[in-house]
Amino acid sequence: MTTLLRILAVLFLPGAWAQSGGSSSLGVVVETKNFTVPAGSEVVLPCHSPRMVWTQDRLKDRQRVVHWDLVRSSPEYSVERILDMSPGARQRVYNGFNKGRVSVPVSAFNDGNFSLVINNVVTTDRGVYTCNLHHHYCQIHQSIQIQLNVTKSVRKEKRYWDGEKTVFVVLLGSSVVLPCVNRRPLWREGLQEDQQQVAHWDFQAPGVRPDRADRLVDLYASGERRDYGPLFAQKKMSVTEDAFTLGDFSLSISALKPVDRGLYSCHLHHHYCGLSERRIFRLTVGPRPPPSAAATTTTATATATTAPRVFQKNEPEPRTDEVEGPRVVNVILPEHRGYFVQHLGYFLATFLLLAFVVVAVVLLTRRRKKRGLEYELRRSDRGHGIIGGDMTLDCTELRTCNLQPLNSDYKNNLLRESSLTKDCNKDCEGKLWCD
């Protein structure tokens, strides 16, 4: 059994380690696709992300907001908004009784401290307080719950954790600070937003490790672009200039050659929102298709018979180079060598488990048969002397008393017989049969 556990550990652990590591530093793989195109054609590797669409965030006061809510147990668990605040705007207190008594630090969006300060605590302040942080642009929502209890005894004043939230027991008439701290960069000012979004394409030739992949291009939301290699200068590869406006970072490759086959990776990073996505495409270049004579004739006839269309000045000319891109299928597929080893380990472990079960069943069956045979033998030994309900006794060799006279010195037969009978009775005295 120990050997079997060791074998399972050797088979399972390498694959699990390989799958757990590797992709964390490169980003989450959200899409994988295989493309097989003929040589000499053009292919478009799609890479779309609406979350990466960059619009200059001039309305920061509406994108980030913090608000405190109070849930009272009576009457009927009512919810009350205490205050809310946005960067660049004043705090808004919803109850006139709390004005000047309840506040949040003015520097909250600079240092990430959104703690609620309550002065002159009263009994009506008892309840569950919720600190809600919202970032509408990055679609981030976070909530922190704190329960506040009021007491008149100094000895009962304490703070503890009830398993779900922090509980504050404060003295009546004192002040309390309910903590709500979030110092993540997205809640702080002074960030260069145009440097927070980056998109880049990598190329990994067959047989090359992922960490040895070649960088093709870097794109920044500020408009900066860095090309690594002559392919973009030769117009063989291209990415649209308005990629950050449309959220379309597709890579177009023209005049495909066998050397262009391999793995293409699109990496999208949004440091401001903490976004990191990765899309992988496997490109295979096949042989060039043979030209068809019928297709050539049909194309020439259609070109000759089609009349040119005249457009008005205000009518835009339709674009004929637009091709409907393939549908996006989100598949998480790790590209580790240990992936195959892991599945092989699953199959081998299942086979060993089935073999172990079969051997155990065979051994148990043979043992039961052996016990049954011994039981039958013992039973037959016990009933050996009883056949059909009749008793059988062991037969012993019976000897009759030798009545042949040893000597014949008797006067008549009567005397001789009486003498022999006496001798026989002496020898067979106390016996059932005389030997």
Side-chain angles (χ1 to χ4, degrees), residues 200-203 263-267 278-281 335:
H200 60 85
W201 279 90
D202 293 340
F203 171 66
L263 287 179
Y264 291 81
S265 302
C266 175
H267 303 255
R278 187 182 182 200
R279 292 163 173 79
I280 304 174
F281 305 93
E335 49 164 347

Side-chain angles (χ1 to χ4, degrees), residues 284-300:
T284 304
V285 181
R288 187 188 301 272
S292 176
T296 305
T297 306
T298 305
T299 305

Side-chain angles (χ1 to χ4, degrees), residues 91-337:
Q91 299 182 18
R92 180 168 51 180
V93 181
Y94 286 83
N95 192 340
F97 177 75
N98 293 329
K99 289 184 178 181
R101 195 177 69 93
V102 178
S103 63
V104 172
V106 180
S107 60
F109 288 97
N110 294 330
D111 54 16
N113 185 9
F114 302 91
S115 301
L116 180 66
V117 180
I118 305 176
N119 297 318
N120 191 14
V121 177
V122 295
T123 56
T124 56
D125 294 331
R126 183 185 296 112
V128 178
Y129 289 79
T130 306
C131 176
N132 301 279
L133 301 173
H134 301 284
H135 197 300
H136 300 293
Y137 181 79
C138 298
Q139 298 181 0
I140 296 177
H141 307 280
Q142 184 178 358
S143 298
I144 301 173
Q145 287 188 347
I146 300 174
Q147 181 175 346
L148 178 63
N149 296 334
V150 182
T151 180
K152 296 181 180 181
S153 176
V154 181
R155 294 178 301 177
K156 295 182 179 180
E157 192 174 9
K158 59 182 177 179
R159 177 192 302 182
Y160 62 93
W161 175 261
D162 66 349
E164 296 180 356
K165 54 187 176 298
T166 305
V167 180
F168 286 78
V169 182
V170 299
L171 187 63
L172 180 65
S174 62
S175 300
V176 65
V177 178
L178 305 182
C180 179
V181 180
N182 188 342
R183 293 189 172 91
R184 294 180 61 184
L186 62 93
W187 290 102
R188 304 179 61 183
E189 294 283 357
L191 295 175
Q192 298 293 330
E193 295 178 351
D194 54 354
Q195 297 295 331
Q196 295 301 317
Q197 276 191 325
V198 182
H200 60 85
W201 279 90
D202 293 340
F203 171 66
Q204 180 183 347
V208 179
R209 297 187 303 177
D211 56 347
R212 299 290 183 180
D214 297 330
R215 179 62 54 84
L216 298 177
V217 63
D218 282 337
L219 302 173
Y220 295 88
S222 59
E224 183 182 358
R225 177 171 175 169
R226 300 176 185 176
D227 300 335
Y228 301 90
L231 298 179
F232 283 88
Q234 299 173 2
K235 303 299 181 181
K236 180 180 175 60
M237 293 186 180
S238 62
V239 179
T240 57
E241 298 293 338
D242 53 354
F244 285 97
T245 303
L246 303 177
D248 187 359
F249 305 90
S250 302
L251 177 66
S252 299
I253 308 175
S254 60
L256 288 172
K257 297 180 181 179
V259 295
D260 296 329
R261 62 182 180 180
L263 287 179
Y264 291 81
S265 302
C266 175
H267 303 255
L268 303 177
H269 303 281
H270 198 309
H271 304 290
Y272 185 77
C273 296
L275 171 66
S276 180
E277 297 179 354
R278 187 182 182 200
R279 292 163 173 79
I280 304 174
F281 305 93
R282 184 182 298 274
L283 178 62
T284 304
V285 181
R288 187 188 301 272
S292 176
T296 305
T297 306
T298 305
T299 305
T301 304
T303 304
T305 57
T306 303
R309 181 180 176 183
V310 179
F311 298 95
Q312 301 295 332
K313 294 181 179 181
N314 297 330
E315 183 181 356
E317 182 179 356
R319 297 178 61 181
T320 58
D321 56 346
E322 294 183 357
V323 180
E324 183 181 359
R327 297 181 179 179
V328 177
V329 179
N330 294 331
V331 179
I332 298 177
L333 180 63
E335 49 164 347
H336 304 289
R337 296 181 179 178

Side-chain angles (χ1 to χ4, degrees), residues 5-48:
L5 293 177
R6 291 180 180 177
I7 295 174
L8 294 177
V10 172
L11 293 176
F12 286 138
L13 291 180
W17 290 340
Q19 190 170 1
S20 62
S23 63
S24 60
S25 59
L26 298 176
V28 180
V29 179
V30 297
E31 181 180 355
T32 58
K33 278 190 176 182
N34 295 330
F35 287 86
T36 302
V37 294
S41 61
E42 181 178 354
V43 65
V44 177
L45 306 181
C47 181
H48 304 274

Side-chain angles (χ1 to χ4, degrees), residues 78-95:
S78 60
V79 181
E80 178 184 353
R81 175 66 54 87
I82 302 298
L83 63 80
D84 57 25
M85 184 177 64
S86 299
R90 297 178 58 183
Q91 299 182 18
R92 180 168 51 180
V93 181
Y94 286 83
N95 192 340

